[in-house]
């Protein structure tokens, strides 16, 4: 991993901590101490969820789900399938899906529709980042940490080709790394 691969830091560690704190305050206020299942959408949300759950004050059950797009190529085809499912039965439970980023919206829209069939008491979404300009599918997310422009962001769990997830900050990738123009 080369430090020169990062064009600039979009959110520093301190800024991320503030965003997470604000999200947790809102979530704590909304659920009023009721138990929730936190459904971490793997893998990018690992770091975010690790920080977020430590700020939540209600009882939680931690669970994991992983989605993958149908079809080939890097461009999302608009349909998702569950690669790794939740372990909890969510019927009549409150589910909070935790995502690192909403891009096209296809992953969360697909997951939410499938999970709603299991008759949970509620399904809400908490995403650290959102790129509204990239949306293909409308998705209602109750908690968004920050809206960002259409730049390739990595770090704090987010990857490019499985790299950079371990950066402690969120940075914008140099276009030359992924073959884009300057
Ligand atoms: C990323 C991200 C979201 C999804 C967002 O996951 O973590 O799950 O893409 O894109 P969308 O809104 O266009 O559907 P990815 O499939 O890259 O897997 P990862 O979390 O393991 O990196």
């Amino acid at each position: 991993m080369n430090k020169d691969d990062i064009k600039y830091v979009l959110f520093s560690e301190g800024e991320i901590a503030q965003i997470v704190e604000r999200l947790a305050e809102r979530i704590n206020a909304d659920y009023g101490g009721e138990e929730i299942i936190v459904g971490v959408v793997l893998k990018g949300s690992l770091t975010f969820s690790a920080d977020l759950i430590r700020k939540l004050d209600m009882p939680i059950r931690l669970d994991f789900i992983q989605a993958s797009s149908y079809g080939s190529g890097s461009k999302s085809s608009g349909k998702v399938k569950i690669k790794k499912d939740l372990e909890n039965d969510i019927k009549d439970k409150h589910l909070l899906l935790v995502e690192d980023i909403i891009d096209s919206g296809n992953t969360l829209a697909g997951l939410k529709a499938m999970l709603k069939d299991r008759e949970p008491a509620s399904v809400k979404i908490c995403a650290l980042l959102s790129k509204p300009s990239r949306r293909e599918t409308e998705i209602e997310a109750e908690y968004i940490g920050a809206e960002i422009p259409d730049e390739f962001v990595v770090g704090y769990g987010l990857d490019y080709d499985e790299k950079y997830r371990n950066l402690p900050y969120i940075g914008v990738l140099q276009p030359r790394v992924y073959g884009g123009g300057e």
Side-chain angles (χ1 to χ4, degrees):
M1 190 166 61
N2 189 341
K3 210 163 166 274
D4 296 340
D5 291 352
I6 304 302
K7 199 165 150 192
Y8 61 92
V9 174
L10 186 60
F11 296 113
S12 67
E13 285 186 76
E15 287 165 335
I16 295 169
Q18 284 178 9
I19 293 169
V20 174
E21 183 78 47
R22 284 199 296 269
L23 287 168
E25 276 173 17
R26 290 179 51 211
I27 295 167
N28 286 333
D30 287 356
Y31 286 97
E34 266 205 270
E35 182 179 283
I36 62 172
I37 296 173
V38 175
V40 177
V41 184
L42 294 171
K43 295 189 269 191
S45 312
L46 176 86
T47 322
F48 171 43
S49 56
D51 284 342
L52 182 72
I53 62 169
R54 283 179 284 178
K55 302 283 177 190
L56 298 181
D57 58 16
M58 73 287 275
I60 69 154
R61 300 176 76 92
L62 186 61
D63 210 336
F64 300 92
I65 189 165
Q66 191 168 18
S68 61
S69 303
Y70 285 111
S72 58
S74 60
K75 194 118 175 88
S76 171
S77 61
K79 286 184 185 163
V80 293
K81 64 178 173 180
I82 293 175
K83 199 156 136 188
K84 186 232 170 285
D85 206 343
L86 297 171
E87 288 176 353
N88 284 262
D89 178 1
I90 59 169
K91 187 166 166 35
D92 300 327
K93 309 278 189 203
H94 295 290
L95 175 66
L96 179 67
L97 286 173
V98 176
E99 256 294 18
D100 51 348
I101 190 164
I102 308 177
D103 195 332
S104 69
N106 293 334
T107 303
L108 279 175
L111 283 182
K112 197 172 177 180
M114 284 187 269
L115 293 168
K116 276 198 146 182
D117 286 346
R118 301 180 192 178
E119 301 176 358
S122 66
V123 183
K124 288 187 180 179
I125 290 169
C126 176
L128 179 65
L129 304 174
S130 173
K131 284 184 188 173
S133 63
R134 297 259 304 170
R135 211 68 93 237
E136 293 170 12
T137 309
E138 271 314 305
I139 177 81
E140 189 192 339
E142 287 75 8
Y143 311 101
I144 302 258
E147 293 193 341
I148 61 167
D150 186 15
E151 298 261 33
F152 205 124
V153 286
V154 294
Y156 195 68
L158 291 143
D159 76 309
Y160 167 65
D161 199 17
E162 293 299 327
K163 294 191 282 279
Y164 311 103
R165 292 194 197 273
N166 53 324
L167 291 175
Y169 55 84
I170 294 169
V172 171
L173 199 59
Q174 287 284 8
R176 63 162 170 75
V177 178
Y178 55 90
E182 282 291 341

